[in-house]
């Protein structure tokens, strides 16, 4: 963890953006859960592993202690200040409750690594705190859950981190990585969860769409197709709740092509209504390396009478650097047919730039880990500027992922980033909801500007 001089202020509730804790200014539980879902989504696309850390303080101390009304608030403010100074900018630190805080620790892949990070946090929180002029030593417990070892969805990760914290109260150093989780297939979800073919046959697979806009004009320029599973037994499931299990079987190919077919069917329906929005669909190198995969994708576009440029395949950068000749051949076939290729998660995994010379990339997506703290972290800004310069030099679109605050827009534009998507623009939504959103987005722009930007669907 790096040191940073970023004090946490106590901000009146009325001045805080939504989903920030009114006392500390940290993300609240709702925003933390949103970011956890985004971390899970990124991990399913080949992004880095991560850990969830939950920490809780208990009243009491060696210099008069704490426990009076208002003391918890003072401790929480000081805890938030120290956490903000200690945490890496790529990590999310949030306040979940009166005495409970949590973090999402990106790049933490092992129990030993997670313990090291937690120990650094503990070291920052260990010195006595000044509470009403008294030095009070506050005791903390730390629980950790690793993705995917301790869960593949947000509820199981939080539950197991909480269990780790309960175990930590009885340990010598107050830090425990939850270690009693059984394999996720048998514990977190019932056996029927893995019956993907049955789900597809019953039309339980859905696609939601997240809009992408031109940051300078507000024009809606495209969509990303994201899978959902409407399970009759488990409710609506996010990708992180079933894609990891599918990736361990051949079902991932079946699901990916099913999402492609659903997205292209919707594109054809929208085209008939005059809505021509390119749709990005996620594919892995493993699928592209399959026999006739590219031919199958091209045929799916042609049989619906769509312009091939309507489809954008989102690939993790590692797919380009996989070294598989079958993947390279598939990419060349897709590009020759007019289908566009976008690189997702650029900069988050180690890979050579060599392959960028050999593939005509249409877009590079800047990962949310560099975008969320952009206005507070000069290093993130430098990374975004560098990626944008590389993409612009390749004549590729630059797309910022994970835009959560409007004040990020101008910063991204200044750094050379032209497009973006994120919760500040629109959440993933069903096709009917997306059509309503499009109308609302245009009407809103017209209402707030005397000379509204020219909105378009191309």
């Amino acid at each position: 963890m790096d040191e940073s001089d970023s004090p946490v202020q106590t901000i009146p509730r009325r001045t805080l953006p939504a989903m920030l804790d009114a006392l500390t200014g940290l993300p609240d539980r709702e925003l933390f859960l949103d970011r956890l879902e985004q971390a899970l989504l990124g991990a399913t696309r080949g992004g880095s592993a991560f850990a969830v850390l939950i920490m809780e303080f208990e009243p009491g101390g060696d210099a008069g202690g704490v426990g009076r009304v208002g003391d918890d608030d003072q401790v929480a403010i000081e805890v938030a200040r120290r956490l903000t100074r200690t945490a890496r900018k790529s990590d999310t630190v949030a306040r979940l409750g009166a005495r409970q805080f949590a973090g999402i620790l990106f790049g933490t892949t092992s129990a030993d690594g997670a313990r090291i990070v937690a120990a650094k946090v503990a070291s920052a929180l260990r010195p006595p705190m000044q509470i009403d002029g008294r030095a009070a030593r506050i005791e903390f417990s730390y629980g950790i859950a690793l993705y995917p070892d301790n869960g593949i969805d947000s509820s199981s990760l939080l539950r197991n981190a909480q269990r780790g914290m309960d175990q930590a109260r009885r340990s010598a150093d107050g830090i425990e990585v939850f270690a009693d989780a059984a394999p996720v297939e048998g514990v977190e979800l019932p056996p029927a969860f893995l019956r993907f073919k049955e789900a597809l046959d019953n039309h339980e697979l859905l696609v939601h769409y997240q809009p992408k806009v031109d940051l300078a004009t507000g024009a809606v320029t495209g969509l990303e197709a994201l899978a959902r599973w409407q399970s009759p037994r488990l409710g609506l499931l996010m990708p992180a709740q079933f894609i990891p299990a599918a990736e361990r079987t051949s079902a991932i190919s079946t699901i990916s092509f099913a999402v492609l077919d659903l997205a292209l069917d919707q594109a054809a329906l929208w085209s008939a209504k005059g809505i021509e929005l390119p749709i990005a669909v996620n594919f892995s190198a493993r699928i592209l390396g399959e026999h006739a995969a590219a031919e199958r994708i091209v045929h799916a576009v042609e049989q619906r009478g769509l312009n091939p440029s309507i489809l954008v395949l989102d690939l993790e950068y590692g797919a380009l650097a996989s070294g598989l000749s079958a993947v390279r051949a598939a990419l060349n076939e897709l590009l020759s047919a007019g289908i566009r290729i976008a690189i997702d998660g650029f900069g988050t995994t180690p890979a050579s730039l060599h392959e960028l010379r050999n593939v005509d990339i249409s877009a590079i997506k800047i990962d949310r880990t560099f975008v969320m703290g952009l206005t507070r972290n000069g290093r993130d800004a430098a990374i975004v500027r560098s990626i944008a310069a590389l993409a612009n030099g390749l004549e590729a679109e630059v797309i910022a992922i994970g835009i959560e605050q409007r004040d990020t827009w101008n910063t991204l534009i200044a750094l050379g980033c032209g497009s973006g998507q994120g919760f500040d623009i629109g959440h993933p939504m069903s096709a009917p909801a997306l059509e309503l959103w499009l109308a609302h987005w245009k009407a809103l722009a017209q209402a707030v500007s005397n000379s509204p930007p020219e909105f378009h669907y191309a």
Side-chain angles (χ1 to χ4, degrees), residues 207-211 224-225 262-263 266 270 279 427-429 431 434:
V207 175
H208 283 189
Y209 302 89
Q210 186 170 30
E224 181 175 1
L262 289 170
Q266 186 59 56
W270 276 330
I279 298 178
H427 287 246
M429 60 196 92
L434 190 280

Side-chain angles (χ1 to χ4, degrees), residues 42-65:
T44 63
R45 294 174 175 172
S48 62
F50 64 91
V52 173
L53 169 67
I54 292 183
M55 64 206 87
E56 188 169 281
F57 66 83
E58 301 175 5
D62 58 5

Side-chain angles (χ1 to χ4, degrees), residues 401-419:
I401 304 300
I403 298 176
E404 295 182 353
Q405 297 179 347
R406 189 58 54 96
D407 61 3
T408 308
W409 288 42
N410 288 336
T411 303
L412 286 167
I413 293 171
L415 294 174
C417 184
S419 302

Side-chain angles (χ1 to χ4, degrees), residues 346-405:
F346 188 85
T348 59
T349 56
S352 168
L353 297 177
H354 173 75
E355 291 300 328
L356 290 180
R357 301 185 306 173
N358 304 323
V359 179
D360 186 15
I361 302 300
S362 66
I364 290 179
K365 292 187 171 184
I366 300 177
D367 192 79
R368 60 180 45 83
T369 56
F370 304 124
V371 175
M372 291 190 299
L374 186 62
T375 58
R376 304 186 304 275
N377 188 345
R379 291 187 175 185
D380 282 348
I383 291 171
V384 169
R385 182 186 291 108
S386 298
I387 296 175
L390 173 64
N392 288 325
L394 296 171
E395 298 184 348
E397 180 184 11
V398 190
I399 307 171
I401 304 300
I403 298 176
E404 295 182 353
Q405 297 179 347

Side-chain angles (χ1 to χ4, degrees), residues 167-369:
Q167 295 168 352
R169 292 190 174 98
R170 302 185 294 273
S171 68
D173 60 358
I175 301 171
E176 285 295 333
V177 179
F178 182 67
D180 295 332
V184 293
E185 295 92 340
V187 171
E188 303 302 338
L189 299 164
F193 183 80
L194 301 179
R195 300 210 305 258
F196 297 116
K197 185 178 185 305
E198 179 180 340
L200 293 171
D201 290 343
N202 293 338
H203 305 289
E204 295 169 12
L205 189 69
L206 309 175
V207 175
H208 283 189
Y209 302 89
Q210 186 170 30
K212 176 190 70 174
V213 302
D214 183 301
L215 295 176
T217 68
V220 183
T221 58
L223 305 169
E224 181 175 1
L226 298 165
R228 301 288 188 266
W229 183 358
Q230 185 63 63
S231 168
R233 298 183 59 182
L234 303 170
L236 185 64
L237 303 176
M238 299 296 105
Q241 295 174 281
F242 62 93
I243 293 297
E247 286 180 334
R248 292 192 286 270
T249 73
S250 60
I252 187 60
S253 179
T254 304
I255 290 175
S256 296
F257 278 104
V259 171
L260 174 69
D261 287 337
L262 289 170
L264 292 177
D265 284 344
Q266 186 59 56
L269 292 173
W270 276 330
S271 180
K273 295 181 178 182
I275 301 175
E276 300 285 348
L277 286 169
I279 298 178
V281 179
N282 294 288
F283 266 78
S284 69
R286 171 183 170 183
I287 298 171
L288 286 181
E290 294 178 355
H291 175 67
E295 180 182 349
R296 184 175 174 184
I297 293 170
V298 173
H299 177 69
V301 176
E302 292 178 342
Q303 71 177 161
R304 292 167 175 85
L306 294 168
N307 188 317
S309 64
I310 201 75
L311 177 62
V312 181
L313 289 188
D314 268 6
L315 304 176
E316 286 293 328
Y317 185 56
L320 292 184
S322 65
L324 297 175
S325 58
V327 173
R328 294 178 182 176
L331 289 173
N332 289 331
E333 185 175 346
L334 293 167
L335 289 166
S336 297
I339 292 170
R340 293 183 284 175
I341 306 296
I343 299 303
D344 209 350
F346 188 85
T348 59
T349 56
S352 168
L353 297 177
H354 173 75
E355 291 300 328
L356 290 180
R357 301 185 306 173
N358 304 323
V359 179
D360 186 15
I361 302 300
S362 66
I364 290 179
K365 292 187 171 184
I366 300 177
D367 192 79
R368 60 180 45 83
T369 56

